[in-house]
Amino acid sequence: MVDVQLSEIEKSYGNCRVLATLNLHVAAGQYVVLLGPSGCGKTTLLKIIAGLEQPDHGQLCLGGNRAEHLPPRKRDVSIVFQHDALYPHLSIRDSIAFGLKSLSASERRSRIDQACQLTGIASLLDRRPDHLSGGELRRAAIAKAIARRASVRLLDEPLSAIDSHVRHGIANALIDWHTSHPGTTIHVTHNGQEAMHIADLIAVMGTSTSGGNQIVQLARPEEIYRTPANKSVALSIGSPPMSFLGAKIKQGQLTFTDDCFRVVGHWPIPSDRDQDIEIGMRSNAIGQVSPKADVTKNGLLISGTVTRTYFSNDHWIASVKAADQVVLADFTDRPPTVGDHITLYADCQKCHLFDTTGQSLAVKRPR
């Protein structure tokens, strides 16, 4: 197994700066997911690692050795493209075997059999790509990469544009592959739930202050969820998305312009500097309380009107409008009726403060 080290990577297409001083280290044997919106440079980064694109500046090391000038065939890297890239005129068996020509016939058969076992495509081997569904094509493309047994495996949106139940099965196949055939895997997606399901570490990509994209946070899934570095990271993870309320820090106190928001107890403030901020809160951090309840625990009371409810998995979500702001709240039992005026409580320990640039404010959590 080898590690992947990207240092100060820059890449532009004409006047469009795609990657800006990007740094990322993926340890040998890790499964890292690159998470970010479409167009943020995730695929470009994979192509640089694979040797299909050259960086304008920066270094790529594979296993400690400089690799940015090596041709793709000398990098021991396999890549599964978003659009599968199977040979249209060959059967799936022949497509998989094409990259194994240097092996003996018996070794080729063994690798194809193992790849089929992991991906469940044994019954598809004699078909051509135009006779397969989207999910079957994706499994076949992954099987091709499995059979190669490269030290570094790159997966470009391997679970996109396929049915949810098929996506779940393929995700489990990817985890089984990584576990049973250890290597270093870098997986690209724009889907936060997918990243949470699969990754050892999530590398969230976002726009730098100088333009272009870079890694804005690299951490375990639970850390990305619980302590996002900025607002874009917070929005990349979790369903439904985090809600945000505008507020102010004034003379060391948290204040609101409307009386439908009321701070309860002590809310720790990161500085005495007066500034506008946003409070981020996930739906499971917000619960309904009686308007007359004597709430003393540090947090925020929100009075608003229910504008919509919907069922998601095993609970209800209610959209509640307070003044001109909207929050989403979880209800395990039946939710309130649209039009009801209700009071919500958000525990400050489960809320996040962001400045006007979207950066997280360092807050000492109360005990």
Side-chain angles (χ1 to χ4, degrees):
M1 292 188 291
V2 303
D3 67 332
V4 178
Q5 178 78 55
L6 296 140
S7 303
E8 304 294 310
I9 295 293
E10 298 267 355
K11 183 65 179 179
S12 298
Y13 296 104
N15 294 325
C16 179
R17 194 181 190 194
V18 179
L19 301 176
T21 57
L22 183 143
N23 296 284
L24 175 65
H25 180 244
V26 180
Q30 280 187 331
Y31 197 125
V32 171
V33 172
L34 290 175
L35 176 64
S38 297
C40 74
K42 304 185 298 296
T43 297
T44 298
L45 189 58
L46 289 194
K47 287 181 176 179
I48 288 173
I49 297 170
L52 304 177
E53 291 278 3
Q54 288 296 313
D56 299 331
H57 176 78
Q59 294 183 4
L60 166 67
C61 291
L62 300 176
N65 299 311
R66 291 285 293 272
E68 65 266 22
H69 299 302
L70 287 178
R73 67 181 183 278
K74 293 188 176 181
R75 297 195 183 197
D76 195 21
V77 172
S78 65
I79 184 166
V80 175
F81 292 99
Q82 186 173 351
H83 300 295
D84 307 315
L86 296 166
Y87 299 108
H89 62 292
L90 296 179
S91 69
I92 300 305
R93 186 193 309 276
D94 291 340
S95 280
I96 297 173
F98 189 85
L100 309 175
K101 288 183 175 181
S102 62
L103 304 177
S104 67
S106 61
E107 178 64 15
R108 283 200 300 271
R109 285 194 298 271
S110 175
R111 290 201 185 187
I112 292 171
D113 287 346
Q114 290 178 12
C116 289
Q117 185 176 9
L118 280 169
T119 56
I121 65 161
S123 63
L124 310 176
L125 286 176
D126 295 321
R127 299 187 195 177
R128 289 206 309 262
D130 58 351
H131 293 160
L132 301 184
S133 69
E136 290 170 340
L137 282 169
R138 201 60 51 84
R139 286 181 180 272
I142 293 168
K144 184 178 178 181
I146 290 173
R148 274 205 58 198
R149 295 190 184 174
S151 297
V152 178
R153 295 83 71 99
L154 309 176
L155 309 173
D156 188 10
E157 297 275 7
L159 307 182
S160 66
I162 51 180
D163 293 339
S164 59
H165 68 283
V166 176
R167 186 164 60 245
H168 187 80
I170 295 177
N172 288 335
L174 291 173
I175 295 170
D176 290 344
W177 169 32
H178 184 77
T179 303
S180 60
H181 295 83
T184 304
T185 304
I186 303 176
H187 172 138
V188 156
T189 186
H190 61 271
N191 186 311
Q193 296 302 104
E194 179 182 321
M196 295 280 284
H197 179 187
I198 291 178
D200 294 329
L201 294 175
I202 299 175
V204 184
M205 294 185 67
T207 305
S208 71
T209 54
S210 59
N213 298 285
Q214 57 187 206
I215 305 299
V216 295
Q217 188 169 6
L218 174 66
R220 298 187 63 81
E222 60 270 26
E223 184 177 345
I224 295 286
Y225 183 86
R226 292 171 180 161
T227 55
N230 60 35
K231 186 176 176 180
S232 66
V233 173
L235 286 169
S236 71
I237 292 287
S239 180
M242 183 179 284
S243 301
F244 294 90
L245 295 175
K248 292 179 179 291
I249 295 175
K250 189 173 183 179
Q251 298 180 350
Q253 300 294 319
L254 188 66
T255 65
F256 293 86
T257 57
D258 196 283
D259 60 8
C260 62
F261 304 102
R262 182 165 67 87
V263 176
V264 179
H266 173 66
W267 195 306
I269 302 301
S271 74
D272 292 332
R273 183 172 69 87
D274 290 0
Q275 59 181 307
D276 293 332
I277 65 167
E278 285 189 286
I279 303 173
M281 54 192 74
R282 300 199 183 276
S283 61
N284 57 11
I286 306 170
Q288 185 176 6
V289 295
S290 167
K292 297 181 179 180
D294 184 18
V295 178
T296 57
K297 188 177 179 181
N298 302 333
L300 179 68
L301 288 173
I302 305 166
S303 297
T305 302
V306 179
T307 59
R308 181 175 178 246
T309 63
Y310 64 93
F311 191 75
S312 176
N313 295 325
D314 62 344
H315 60 281
W316 289 86
I317 304 291
S319 176
V320 179
K321 186 174 183 180
D324 60 349
Q325 306 193 73
V326 175
V327 296
L328 299 175
D330 276 7
F331 290 84
T332 52
D333 298 321
R334 193 159 187 83
T337 302
V338 171
D340 283 356
H341 189 78
I342 65 173
T343 300
L344 302 172
Y345 168 78
D347 186 340
C348 76
Q349 288 186 314
K350 297 179 180 180
C351 293
H352 308 268
L353 304 186
F354 301 94
D355 65 20
T356 53
T357 70
Q359 294 302 306
S360 177
L361 295 171
V363 176
K364 183 178 179 181
R365 300 291 182 186
R367 295 178 179 177

